[in-house]
Amino acid sequence: MSLRRRLLLILGVSFCVLWALAAAWLYSDLRDQMRATLDQRLAASARMVAGLIAQLPEDAWNQAGAPVLSTPQSTGVACQISSSRGQVLMRTHGRLAGELDTPAPGFTDRVIDGQRWRLFTFVQNGLHITTADRLAERAALQRNVIVVAVVPFVVALLGSLIALWLGIRRGLGPLARLHAELSRRDPDMLTPVEIGDAPAELRPAIDTLNALLLRTGEALTREQRFTSDAAHELRTPLTAIKTHVQLASRLPTDQAGDALASAEAGIARLQRTLEQLLTLARIEAGSPISETESVASAQIVAAALADLPARERVEVHAPARESLEVALPRELAAAALRNLLENALRHTPDGAAVELTVCAQPERVLFNVSDRGDWPPTQSTQQLTQRFWRQRHSAGHVQGSGLGLTIVAAIAARFGGSLELQPREGGGLAACFAVPRVSPV
Amino acid sequence: MHVLLIEDDELVGSGIRSGLEIAGFTVDWVGTAADARLSLAGLASDVVVLDLGLPDADGLTLLRDWRAQGQTVPVLVLTARDAVADRVAGLQTGADDYLLKPFDLDELGARLQALLRRAAGRASPVIEHGGLRVDPGNRRVWRDQHEIELTRREFMLLEKLLHARGGIVSVEQLNDSLYGLDSPVESNAVNVHVHHLRRKLGSTLVRTVRGLGYRLGAADAGGDAGTP
């Protein structure tokens, strides 16, 4: 059920019930009041007649053989005066002859001639003064009063229902616009939602939604770019392999060797890219890597250098006696350091040395790798660690997978460390890979 | 025919060059957009193979610039990106064909032949010229139903002249088509090939236009070929 319908139903039903209760209350109150008022009128009439009679001489009634006064049938209050012996001295409403006789003092109801009457009898000096009026007349009067009271009441009720409907419709307008806007949109549409004058209650929801859309859009763009980049990175070595394998089959046997060697180089590159991609996926997906491991910095350096080509070009400066434990699994720490060293070597002209310095801080251990390589001077850490960013260089250079620094940054981020890349004075790059230190207990 | 190959990846580039050379093309290979601009300005390339991911510029930018300059050489775009949007962008920018990596060397050769054929306004893969029948894809020539053996350079020369459809081809253009940028050319190398071609296919086939170059003549014997 829609919000508007629900509100209309709840408020409308409550309105009607409350107004109906109020009306019932009013009606019963009004009825009692009218009955009391009309009874009072009967009693007051009787007393007034009694007051008038008291002014007459005692023997005024003695000559009267028949009723003194008799008026024709009419509406309104009827009156009869009779002696204690039951003789009617005076009456209005001639047709009521005998019917008003000998009632008990006070109020009584009686049916006369098929009509219901209310009677009041007052006794004074042996005279019975009876006044009466018709209940039907009372009911008609009561109906008139109620009609006069109820019509504005009902009009007001209808008016408030209409006002309620309009108010809800208008008040919920922004919600309706939001609904229309959202149902109009393509599911893939990631542009911000805008519905004009959003009320304060809705603003946070819309802002949150828009922020979410923005983030989703960015993540989607990033993923699309990554997929596209990954496709490019995997297809290029695959192309090299396929082309050279085809070449090998077309060339004379003695020349086919070169083509096969090139194909093999392509396979090696493909393998490296795949492995790096898988490593990155594992680190970023947070798949189970033992988090509690720790390893000595010397072991990391040894593992990183173990299978590094051209490791003789790396100058290591590390504190020999001190054991620096870092909170990082050994394989990942070595992989990160190895990636840094490989990058430095790749960008450094043949023969030039690359420096690796290990130093300790109270909380962290820093692995500094400095080279004199041909890095572009203005690249930021963020750019250099972008997936598949790689330096565009002249042909003939050995290319990396474009994932090395990304992996180092991902490892650092996963284990609470950091990676900072700074251009060096006089050319080259200084990479600082900082990891949390396990304090010696 | 001369192919300008623009590809920054060392392994892929060397493979394509060797493959196209086996298929009978003269290939010049450059790795950057800057070199590509220079090469196309200085060389009479018949077709260009363009990789989109170049180190110094986007391949599409290069292509757009060329088309803006009125360069009409057919361009086949090579790319590892397979999104439809990329392909559409490539073709709308002025590429004549599009090949996704990894591709088949035979397919690349066939597509280049098709581009050349379309550029020359021919529909059939086999060229008929008088009593001469030439199949550039398979590099075979028949004269009056008899197959004639041509050397690699002779065939290239014949192909270039046929491609010009009777138009004049300068000695420089023939040099580019036969040797490209890298091979050092002796001054009379083209003359030697013209001489051999006339001997095998008839003296009227290649006509000398003095001071300008050569053009295709009648395939039937008879008439003076002039002095080269």
Side-chain angles (χ1 to χ4, degrees):
Chain A
M1 192 189 279
S2 78
L3 192 57
R4 186 202 303 184
R5 205 168 293 174
R6 195 178 307 183
L7 271 176
L8 272 176
L9 200 71
I10 292 172
L11 291 178
V13 167
S14 319
F15 252 61
C16 291
V17 167
L18 282 174
W19 281 66
L21 285 175
W25 187 8
L26 184 70
Y27 173 75
S28 82
D29 226 28
L30 201 62
R31 200 182 51 188
D32 292 350
Q33 289 289 335
M34 284 210 38
R35 184 190 173 90
T37 307
L38 291 172
D39 281 355
Q40 251 172 16
R41 185 179 71 161
L42 273 189
S45 306
R47 286 197 185 91
M48 194 179 76
V49 170
L52 288 173
I53 289 169
Q55 309 285 318
L56 292 175
E58 188 71 26
D59 57 350
W61 306 108
N62 295 336
Q63 306 113 21
V68 172
L69 177 69
S70 186
T71 59
Q73 177 83 10
S74 73
T75 57
V77 177
C79 186
Q80 172 177 297
I81 304 166
S82 49
S83 66
S84 52
R85 295 180 306 273
Q87 184 191 8
V88 175
L89 301 178
M90 195 179 118
R91 78 154 60 99
T92 59
H93 293 67
R95 281 186 58 202
L96 294 179
E99 300 290 352
L100 296 180
D101 290 352
T102 62
F107 286 104
T108 42
D109 287 350
R110 183 178 290 184
V111 178
I112 302 168
D113 233 2
Q115 285 193 319
R116 295 183 66 216
W117 288 78
R118 187 153 174 84
L119 279 63
F120 180 75
T121 305
F122 186 65
V123 182
Q124 180 187 270
N125 299 334
L127 290 179
H128 288 247
I129 301 154
T130 300
T131 47
D133 60 1
R134 271 171 286 223
L135 284 181
E137 268 175 38
R138 286 184 167 209
L141 183 62
Q142 203 169 333
R143 264 201 305 281
N144 286 341
V145 170
I146 283 173
V147 165
V148 166
V150 154
V151 166
F153 196 87
V154 168
V155 168
L157 175 62
L158 287 177
S160 22
L161 284 178
I162 290 171
L164 182 74
W165 184 72
L166 285 174
I168 286 177
R169 190 186 155 88
R170 196 168 161 70
L172 293 183
L175 264 185
R177 283 201 295 282
L178 182 63
H179 172 254
E181 162 78 11
L182 288 180
S183 43
R184 183 178 63 79
R185 291 165 74 93
D186 205 67
D188 297 332
M189 203 163 133
L190 293 172
T191 50
V193 174
E194 202 43 72
I195 59 155
D197 55 335
E201 290 90 343
L202 215 49
R203 202 70 254 182
I206 292 176
D207 288 347
T208 309
L209 180 65
N210 282 342
L212 194 67
L213 282 173
L214 190 69
R215 274 209 307 282
T216 310
E218 283 170 357
L220 210 63
T221 312
R222 220 169 29 242
E223 285 314 303
Q224 278 166 351
R225 197 172 55 228
F226 172 66
T227 314
S228 170
D229 285 343
H232 183 266
E233 295 303 322
L234 294 173
R235 279 196 180 118
T236 302
L238 203 57
T239 309
I241 297 164
K242 183 164 179 175
T243 309
H244 283 284
V245 167
Q246 287 189 337
L247 261 186
S249 69
R250 284 165 174 70
L251 285 168
T253 327
D254 54 324
Q255 293 168 31
D258 284 350
L260 286 177
S262 294
E264 215 163 306
I267 291 170
R269 201 165 96 201
L270 185 59
Q271 186 182 0
R272 198 166 60 237
T273 304
L274 273 177
E275 273 166 11
Q276 301 270 55
L277 266 179
L278 290 176
T279 309
L280 190 61
R282 273 199 293 270
I283 298 168
E284 287 189 340
S287 45
I289 299 171
S290 164
E291 310 252 359
T292 54
E293 263 182 69
S294 75
V295 64
S297 63
Q299 273 185 301
I300 298 174
V301 173
L305 287 174
D307 51 353
L308 189 70
R311 60 179 169 275
E312 65 282 352
R313 285 167 57 198
V314 181
E315 288 174 10
V316 183
H317 309 282
R321 49 192 176 72
E322 220 180 331
S323 170
L324 302 173
E325 290 280 319
V326 299
L328 212 61
R330 184 191 140 133
E331 286 73 27
L332 288 180
L337 188 55
R338 197 190 130 103
N339 275 338
L340 285 180
L341 290 170
E342 270 183 341
N343 260 320
L345 288 171
R346 191 178 299 127
H347 286 270
T348 310
D350 280 349
V354 167
E355 277 181 63
L356 166 62
T357 313
V358 183
C359 55
Q361 286 184 347
E363 300 284 318
R364 310 187 299 170
V365 177
L366 310 182
F367 296 86
N368 289 303
V369 177
S370 318
D371 62 51
R372 287 286 174 201
D374 54 353
W375 296 90
T378 54
Q379 299 293 335
S380 67
T381 303
Q382 207 192 356
Q383 271 176 306
L384 289 172
T385 53
Q386 241 170 36
R387 291 186 284 200
F388 296 122
W389 184 91
R390 64 160 73 96
Q391 188 174 0
R392 299 299 196 175
H393 33 59
S394 50
H397 232 104
V398 183
Q399 286 208 350
S401 64
L403 290 170
L405 289 177
T406 315
I407 290 176
V408 181
I411 291 175
R414 172 80 190 271
F415 294 97
S418 67
L419 173 67
E420 276 170 39
L421 304 168
Q422 291 271 329
R424 290 177 74 191
E425 292 267 331
L429 190 78
C432 177
F433 176 53
V435 290
R437 180 178 179 186
V438 181
S439 46
V441 186
Chain B
M1 303 301 270
H2 185 265
V3 178
L4 178 62
L5 169 62
I6 308 162
E7 165 66 65
D8 68 319
D9 189 277
E10 194 78 12
L11 280 174
V12 175
S14 66
I16 295 176
R17 178 171 64 180
S18 305
L20 289 181
E21 279 174 355
I22 291 175
F25 292 96
T26 307
V27 182
D28 273 310
W29 168 31
V30 295
T32 63
D35 288 348
R37 286 181 206 274
L38 284 177
S39 301
L40 198 66
L43 272 171
S45 293
D46 297 300
V47 62
V48 173
V49 177
L50 174 64
D51 176 63
L52 287 189
L54 294 176
D56 52 346
D58 181 41
L60 286 183
T61 311
L62 191 65
L63 184 54
R64 199 174 296 119
D65 290 351
W66 278 339
R67 293 304 187 223
Q69 289 160 17
Q71 180 61 259
T72 55
V73 61
V75 173
L76 183 146
V77 164
L78 280 184
T79 177
R81 298 187 195 272
D82 60 349
V84 176
D86 290 334
R87 271 180 276 174
V88 171
L91 292 172
Q92 282 181 343
T93 308
D96 299 273
D97 203 354
Y98 194 100
L99 203 52
L100 184 66
K101 292 177 179 179
F103 49 84
D104 195 283
L105 272 180
D106 290 336
E107 187 181 355
L108 177 62
R111 280 175 186 261
L112 290 181
Q113 287 291 357
L115 283 182
L116 289 170
R117 198 165 70 224
R118 281 207 293 276
R122 284 187 279 113
S124 156
V126 176
I127 308 167
E128 306 251 3
H129 181 71
L132 212 58
R133 229 151 53 83
V134 183
D135 179 0
N138 297 307
R139 280 187 296 151
R140 296 173 73 183
V141 183
W142 294 266
R143 187 190 186 193
D144 302 330
Q145 312 304 322
H146 299 294
E147 185 162 3
I148 311 285
E149 291 288 329
L150 292 186
T151 67
R152 180 182 160 79
R153 304 271 187 225
E154 285 160 11
F155 192 88
M156 286 176 170
L157 179 62
L158 176 62
E159 203 181 357
K160 183 73 184 176
L161 289 171
L162 285 169
H163 188 71
R165 303 212 296 172
I168 297 167
V169 186
S170 72
V171 178
E172 290 74 34
Q173 285 174 320
L174 286 175
N175 268 334
D176 287 346
S177 278
L178 266 57
Y179 298 101
L181 273 182
D182 300 332
S183 315
V185 188
E186 305 86 45
S187 58
N188 64 341
V190 170
N191 292 354
V192 173
H193 294 304
V194 168
H195 178 73
H196 289 157
L197 208 56
R198 281 179 177 148
R199 188 166 49 74
K200 290 181 180 175
L201 298 178
S203 54
T204 55
L205 186 68
V206 185
R207 290 188 176 276
T208 304
V209 185
R210 284 193 192 281
L212 293 175
Y214 300 93
R215 64 181 175 86
L216 199 66
D220 301 307
D224 187 15
T227 358

